[in-house]
């Protein structure tokens, strides 16, 4: 079945770059997403990428997609303490349901 | 996203009780979803609906039911709550190729 995997934790120092990685199994994924969840809050859509793209950049965020290896990454440049959160990777296959399959989330801890 | 509201935000109940979690949206989108979040498991889909007359089971629908009373409202019910339904519940709306989530309802079943 469809599966999305992420490492559980990542710790970086303030000002460094963070790279959060995700692998998925569904080769028919149409879109891939990154959501951010701050403590006690809901999920905030950060960015998403269409499966025929390799890269998408949005201010400090860079998404890289290697479709051959089914690998997605989120790079956060100049990481700030406010970036501390859980980051979820998600994918959706084709078809009308658009249901999302989520990874377990990566907790990003930014050390001052 | 402020366009999706959920009530209550927190709820404590006892085993065997019936409870309802409510979700409302202001944007008039047809697609609505209910997810459950457990530590270390990410989010899992419970039910989804594409319009008032359309209800579909997700991957973990057992023990839950839903009602789409209107385009803007999608309710999740636990007919007889059990402790392993303790979790964080999220409602989402589908807008184009994206989904936007409500703030979540934290449910504790004792």
């Amino acid at each position: 079945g469809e599966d999305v995997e992420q490492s559980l934790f990542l710790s970086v120092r303030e000002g460094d770059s963070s790279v959060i990685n995700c692998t998925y199994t569904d080769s028919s994924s149409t879109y891939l997403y990154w959501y951010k969840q701050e403590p006690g809050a809901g999920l905030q859509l950060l960015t998403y990428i269409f499966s025929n793209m390799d890269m998408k950049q949005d201010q400090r965020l860079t998404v890289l997609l290697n479709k051959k290896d089914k690998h997605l990454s989120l790079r956060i440049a100049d990481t700030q303490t406010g970036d501390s959160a859980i980051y979820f990777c998600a994918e959706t296959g084709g078809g009308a349901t658009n249901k999302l399959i989520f990874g377990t989330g990566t907790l990003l801890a930014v050390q001052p | 996203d402020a366009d999706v509201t959920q009530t209550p935000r927190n709820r404590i109940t006892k085993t065997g009780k019936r409870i309802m979690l409510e979700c409302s949206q202001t944007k008039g989108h047809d697609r609505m979803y209910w997810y459950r979040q457990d530590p270390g498991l990410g989010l899992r889909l419970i039910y989804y609906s594409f319009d008032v007359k359309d209800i579909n089971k997700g991957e973990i629908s057992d023990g839950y039911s839903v009602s789409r009373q209107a385009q803007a409202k999608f309710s999740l019910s636990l007919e007889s709550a059990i402790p392993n339904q303790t979790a964080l519940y999220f409602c989402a709306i589908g807008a184009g190729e994206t989904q936007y989530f409500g703030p979540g309802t934290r449910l504790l079943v004792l």
Side-chain angles (χ1 to χ4, degrees):
Chain A
E2 302 146 331
D3 193 22
V4 179
E5 294 192 356
Q6 303 176 238
S7 54
L8 291 180
F9 301 99
L10 176 66
S11 179
V12 300
R13 291 198 177 276
E14 193 172 15
D16 288 348
S17 292
S18 307
V19 180
I20 303 171
N21 294 301
C22 170
T23 58
Y24 60 97
T25 58
D26 186 0
S27 58
S28 67
S29 294
T30 307
Y31 290 94
L32 297 113
Y33 305 82
W34 285 104
Y35 283 86
K36 176 184 181 182
Q37 185 180 32
E38 297 184 28
L43 275 77
Q44 172 195 355
L45 178 64
L46 279 181
T47 186
Y48 64 98
I49 188 168
F50 188 49
S51 59
N52 70 352
M53 297 171 63
D54 297 326
M55 184 181 84
K56 181 177 180 181
Q57 187 154 1
D58 183 2
Q59 298 182 335
R60 291 190 297 123
L61 305 180
T62 302
V63 178
L64 294 177
L65 174 60
N66 181 329
K67 198 173 179 183
K68 174 176 171 290
D69 294 339
K70 298 190 186 69
H71 182 267
L72 182 75
S73 67
L74 174 69
R75 178 178 182 269
I76 305 173
D78 187 25
T79 312
Q80 303 297 307
T81 55
D83 295 323
S84 293
I86 299 175
Y87 290 80
F88 289 94
C89 169
E91 57 96 4
T92 181
T97 64
N98 278 83
K99 62 180 181 178
L100 293 178
I101 306 298
F102 283 85
T104 54
T106 299
L107 174 61
L108 174 64
V110 182
Q111 311 297 326
Chain B
D1 190 292
D3 300 327
V4 184
T5 57
Q6 292 184 236
T7 56
R9 293 295 312 277
N10 298 282
R11 178 75 183 269
I12 300 173
T13 191
K14 294 183 178 180
T15 297
K17 294 290 187 182
R18 181 182 188 277
I19 62 165
M20 179 182 289
L21 310 183
E22 309 221 11
C23 175
S24 296
Q25 54 136 332
T26 60
K27 290 296 189 180
H29 293 294
D30 289 326
R31 288 183 282 126
M32 297 187 75
Y33 304 80
W34 274 105
Y35 291 88
R36 166 179 172 160
Q37 184 182 25
D38 295 277
L41 289 179
L43 278 77
R44 292 179 292 167
L45 182 63
I46 307 172
Y47 270 97
Y48 60 100
S49 168
F50 287 170
D51 66 37
V52 173
K53 298 178 182 177
D54 178 75
I55 300 291
N56 303 281
K57 292 183 177 180
E59 60 181 307
I60 54 163
S61 58
D62 287 349
Y64 301 94
S65 62
V66 290
S67 173
R68 185 82 183 264
Q69 305 94 318
Q71 188 194 38
K73 295 185 182 297
F74 192 35
S75 301
L76 176 71
S77 294
L78 286 68
E79 296 300 326
S80 179
I82 56 177
N84 76 3
Q85 291 177 312
T86 293
L88 189 53
Y89 290 85
F90 286 104
C91 175
I93 58 174
E97 62 273 11
T98 57
Q99 290 185 25
Y100 296 95
F101 286 77
T105 294
R106 192 175 299 273
L107 175 65
L108 172 61
V109 183
L110 299 174

